[in-house]
Amino acid sequence: MAEALNVLADLVRGKLAQDLVGADVKHGELTIVVNRPAIAKVLKTLRDDADFRFTILVDLCGADWPEREQRFDVVYHLLSLSQNQRIRVKVTTDEDTPVPSVTGVFSSAGWYEREAWDLYGILFADHPDLRRILTDYGFEGHPLRKDFPLTGFVEVRYDEEQKRVVYEKVKLTQDFRSFDFLSPWEGMTPLLPGDEKATPSQGTAAEAPKKPAETKA
């Protein structure tokens, strides 16, 4: 398997050299990084070239690296049934620079690109219908970004008086609390709550010396 992947990597380097940023085989997988403007051209070559025949787009997804200037990876996973091989293709982009849509190469990319836009805010140029697909039309922000708040921005409920769905700012029912995450045994003190009742404190009536019982002659 490793030898076959290395042969495939050499073929990719030879045929896609001008559009290739890098190619690497790790953990039994081949990953190539290509120039963003050339992504449709590269995928078309991988689909149609007889040495590749990657005819199935298995997945298209995003990844967020907010510390980078080009914070997003757009990742394409391709499958070749005839060659019995897989390949991962990556391009990078930022919040404002669109990635060329590949719906003209793989029609299944349409919904995948909509998902990447919805969840990450990644723009795709020339997409025929780039709109939200998993969140609601009135949703604010992109929930898979690393800087998206865990509580979100708004919450949705059905208003019985207005007879419609309404959007409201998130209201927390309680303040945030800090937990030490200790197990009951680690957090246990020598004196458990309630034990103080079993040991009378000094000077109480319970510790006063008892009078000897009186006897009658």
Side-chain angles (χ1 to χ4, degrees):
M1 178 63 74
E3 182 179 353
L5 286 176
N6 287 324
V7 171
L8 178 59
D10 290 338
L11 285 172
V12 169
R13 294 187 186 100
K15 297 192 176 187
L16 300 172
Q18 61 183 355
D19 301 314
L20 198 65
V21 176
D24 197 12
V25 177
K26 284 185 178 179
H27 309 296
E29 298 178 334
L30 171 60
T31 301
I32 67 173
V33 182
V34 303
N35 292 315
R36 182 175 55 249
I39 182 60
K41 172 188 173 184
V42 168
L43 293 189
K44 189 174 187 301
T45 300
L46 292 173
R47 183 193 67 183
D48 297 339
D49 191 291
D51 288 329
F52 302 133
R53 303 297 293 167
F54 288 99
T55 57
I56 299 176
L57 175 66
V58 176
D59 186 31
L60 185 165
C61 60
D64 186 17
W65 306 89
E67 70 279 0
R68 296 186 334 197
E69 182 179 356
Q70 299 280 314
R71 68 180 291 179
F72 297 119
D73 285 339
V74 182
V75 188
Y76 308 78
H77 294 96
L78 306 179
L79 170 66
S80 172
L81 293 177
S82 59
Q83 304 289 351
N84 191 25
Q85 288 181 318
R86 297 174 184 266
I87 189 171
R88 179 185 297 112
V89 184
K90 290 184 179 181
V91 299
T92 61
T93 190
D94 55 30
E95 298 179 40
D96 303 315
T97 307
V99 176
S101 174
V102 297
T103 53
V105 183
F106 295 102
S107 58
S108 60
W111 281 15
Y112 289 140
E113 289 177 352
R114 284 179 59 186
E115 181 181 7
W117 150 247
D118 191 1
L119 301 183
Y120 290 96
I122 300 172
L123 297 169
F124 292 90
D126 300 321
H127 188 285
D129 187 24
L130 192 61
R131 55 192 170 92
R132 293 190 181 273
I133 190 172
L134 294 179
T135 62
D136 193 76
Y137 294 113
F139 193 87
E140 296 181 18
H142 305 282
L144 286 190
R145 287 189 178 187
K146 296 291 179 63
D147 51 8
F148 188 81
L150 295 179
T151 58
F153 295 107
V154 297
E155 55 188 1
V156 182
R157 67 177 179 86
Y158 181 78
D159 189 280
E160 187 64 35
E161 294 182 358
Q162 301 182 53
K163 302 298 183 183
R164 67 181 182 89
V165 173
V166 296
Y167 294 84
E168 299 174 332
K169 290 185 178 180
V170 171
K171 299 176 182 177
L172 298 179
T173 57
Q174 64 181 17
D175 294 332
F176 285 109
R177 292 181 292 172
S178 178
F179 298 92
D180 57 16
F181 298 103
L182 293 175
S183 74
W185 304 113
E186 293 170 323
M188 187 173 66
T189 60
L191 186 65
L192 294 177
D195 282 358
E196 69 279 1
K197 299 176 182 177
T199 306
S201 59
Q202 187 175 1
T204 61
E207 291 185 340
K210 295 181 179 180
K211 294 181 180 180
E214 296 181 0
T215 58
K216 295 181 178 181

